[in-house]
Amino acid sequence: LGCTRGPDTQHLRCNASVRRDASLTPAALDRSNSVCRTPRPRLSASVPAQARPHERLVRDAAAATAGSSHFARRMRHGIALALLTTTAALPRPMRRAASLLRVFRRSASSAAAKPRCVLLNAARLDFDGRVDFASLEAVADVVRYEVTSPEDVAARCAGAQIVVNKELPLDAATIAGLPDSVALLCEAGTGYNNIHLATCLSKDIQVANVPTYATQAMAHMAITLVMALACSLWRQGVAFGKGDRSVLEQSHLGALPHVELTGKTLGLVGGRGLIGREVAKIGVALGMRVVVASSSAAPGEDDDGVVVMALDDLLAEADFVSIHCPLSDATRGLVGARELARMKPTAFLVNTARGAIVDQAALVAALSERNIAGAALDVFGEGSAPPPCLPADHPLYGLDNVMLTPHIGWQRVESRQRVVDMVSENIAAFLRGEPANIDLDTGLPRR
């Protein structure tokens, strides 16, 4: 490898003849003098080999790279650094390489072997048997569980390098209990608020999500709910289900809301993301005035014809308020009693994002007292999206001006197939040495 140790330092000096991997240069090598700034731990010759993680890393690297040429290229500098340091002291690009070694460890004896992947809750994705997992099986040796409880996660992931999850809450204790073999956690969806990222960072487990698999489907769901609210479609259906045919007999909706969308104001909370922008596009096409409240956009007219304004102003002006921001500490309870009180009594609230963004008790009060005209909720409560379901005696069930659906926006068969295929692409990218698309240092997606 052409590497030597400086005469009076504990650093690696890499000769100019060594070709640097472009993905490692910024973090692992100093541009000016080619000195790696990773300190070398002093090791006694009497320390047994099994107690030296750097030596095990090198042995594993040699075995793994023998069967995978693309991995060998990625590991040139990684092996050199591993000679003199533990993985805990490695810069992040080298820690990525060490994570890859955990994946290749099990397949070192055979070039044809694939990493072991555990799918924790396949039934959440394939509840009707219409999803094909061939793309996932092409890149990994898949062990499939239909349903997994949090207390069974660690045992089921034994020996696995990759874990695929759909909305199952993985808190700090659950992730801390994962075996050391786990190197990649794939969330089969857009939101990843159900995963404790700080613990993933401490265990060097990379996290990947799939932000674009259901952009159109979720936008269509939001607009479908807006349309249904505008003509009281849900309330008509509820009446028919109870045997009340008065609407049919009188041939009109009576006092039920029934308005056109053209000219109405659609307010998008957090509407500058992928889904929010798609909803805005459809709203404009329907002749609606679209306004947005977003922490990532300055007030004023945006380039696609929407107007960015403060949340308080949006709530006061909108005829339909639709939630499109992720759930975080900053957005939990973002729409509470104060915000609901600012809405018009003729306005409707739509939430297809995450239930906890809206204060549920405050919403029940606003609906019960008719302070707003109604709501459509594809998500509700403290559950990940949901699940879990609301309790049988929940007051939302007794209201006639709320629509409830069990987070079905993403569940169209095309979207479910797409998310499986895109998870497979995330795994393939990870195995090529590319970083996962969630930056654990910031908790934000990589751009």
Side-chain angles (χ1 to χ4, degrees):
L1 292 171
C3 296
T4 59
R5 184 162 58 88
D8 56 356
T9 67
Q10 297 295 323
H11 298 104
L12 276 179
R13 184 174 297 278
C14 299
N15 294 343
S17 59
V18 178
R19 183 184 67 80
R20 297 181 185 176
D21 188 319
S23 69
L24 304 180
T25 300
L29 300 174
D30 184 287
R31 291 181 181 273
S32 61
N33 59 13
S34 298
V35 174
C36 174
R37 297 303 182 187
T38 303
R40 174 183 184 266
R42 300 180 182 274
L43 295 175
S44 168
S46 62
V47 177
Q50 63 267 26
R52 299 180 185 179
H54 66 291
E55 293 184 0
R56 293 200 304 273
L57 184 63
V58 174
R59 286 200 306 272
D60 291 334
T65 57
S68 177
S69 60
H70 71 272
F71 187 66
R73 291 194 298 272
R74 291 283 178 184
M75 286 304 299
R76 279 196 178 97
H77 302 298
I79 296 172
L81 287 175
L83 283 165
L84 297 177
T85 186
T86 64
T87 59
L90 286 171
R92 186 160 298 283
M94 292 293 89
R95 291 166 73 184
R96 282 210 309 272
S99 295
L100 276 169
L101 276 179
R102 298 208 301 275
V103 173
F104 277 86
R105 210 172 251 147
R106 286 175 57 89
S107 56
S109 61
S110 170
K114 293 178 287 190
R116 187 169 189 262
C117 171
V118 172
L119 177 54
L120 291 175
N121 49 352
R124 186 73 179 135
L125 293 166
D126 192 27
F127 47 80
D128 56 1
R130 299 171 70 185
V131 175
D132 184 356
F133 290 90
S135 62
L136 189 60
E137 293 164 352
V139 296
D141 178 12
V142 181
V143 178
R144 172 173 167 169
Y145 295 99
E146 298 305 306
V147 179
T148 297
S149 59
E151 57 268 22
D152 292 332
V153 169
R156 290 186 170 183
C157 292
Q161 293 78 47
I162 299 165
V163 177
V164 178
N165 177 60
K166 178 61 177 175
E167 298 170 354
L168 179 68
L170 300 176
D171 60 15
T174 302
I175 293 174
L178 288 174
D180 291 340
S181 61
V182 175
L184 177 66
L185 175 55
C186 293
E187 179 64 27
T190 301
Y192 50 93
N193 57 284
N194 53 310
I195 298 171
H196 198 273
L197 298 183
T199 310
C200 289
L201 178 63
S202 70
K203 287 180 68 70
D204 282 334
I205 298 174
Q206 294 194 51
V207 178
N209 73 330
V210 189
T212 60
Y213 80 101
T215 301
Q216 284 74 31
M218 289 303 303
H220 295 170
M221 183 68 187
I223 291 295
T224 296
L225 296 177
V226 168
M227 289 180 163
L229 290 169
C231 64
S232 295
L233 193 61
W234 175 270
R235 295 177 72 172
Q236 292 181 62
V238 169
F240 296 157
K242 294 179 178 179
D244 180 355
R245 296 186 291 274
S246 58
V247 167
L248 290 177
E249 293 167 355
Q250 66 194 21
S251 297
H252 60 76
L253 297 185
L256 293 178
H258 195 196
V259 297
E260 294 182 350
L261 294 181
T262 303
K264 297 297 187 293
T265 298
L266 174 61
L268 307 180
V269 179
R272 296 291 78 191
L274 294 171
I275 296 172
R277 287 182 182 274
E278 192 69 20
V279 173
K281 187 189 305 180
I282 300 172
V284 170
L286 291 171
M288 303 184 78
R289 172 179 177 252
V290 179
V291 298
V292 168
S294 173
S295 60
S296 63
E301 187 166 347
D302 211 338
D303 55 5
D304 53 0
V306 307
V307 177
V308 180
M309 59 176 57
L311 177 60
D312 280 357
D313 295 333
L314 179 150
L315 294 169
E317 294 184 21
D319 299 295
F320 298 87
V321 175
S322 188
I323 309 294
H324 296 285
C325 54
L327 177 62
S328 66
D329 291 341
T331 62
R332 184 178 296 275
L334 178 66
V335 179
R338 174 188 172 278
E339 288 73 25
L340 292 167
R342 293 190 64 84
M343 293 175 61
K344 303 175 186 177
T346 57
F348 296 91
L349 177 71
V350 174
N351 189 3
T352 58
R354 288 294 186 265
I357 295 171
V358 178
D359 183 325
Q360 197 162 263
L363 178 60
V364 168
L367 292 169
S368 300
E369 297 166 11
R370 308 294 192 194
N371 293 333
I372 63 174
L377 310 177
D378 193 42
V379 289
F380 35 81
E382 291 296 322
S384 178
C389 187
L390 294 171
D393 59 350
H394 197 279
L396 281 175
Y397 288 146
L399 298 174
D400 66 354
N401 55 348
V402 61
M403 297 172 58
L404 298 174
T405 51
H407 198 36
I408 63 172
W410 66 272
Q411 292 182 15
R412 302 162 202 262
V413 64
E414 298 90 347
S415 300
R416 289 183 285 131
Q417 184 62 63
R418 190 178 301 117
V419 77
V420 170
D421 294 342
M422 295 179 83
V423 165
S424 306
E425 293 171 6
N426 282 345
I427 293 173
F430 174 76
L431 296 177
R432 291 193 299 268
E434 299 174 19
N437 59 2
I438 302 301
D439 185 342
L440 295 179
D441 289 321
T442 64
L444 300 174
R446 301 183 195 275
R447 297 298 184 185

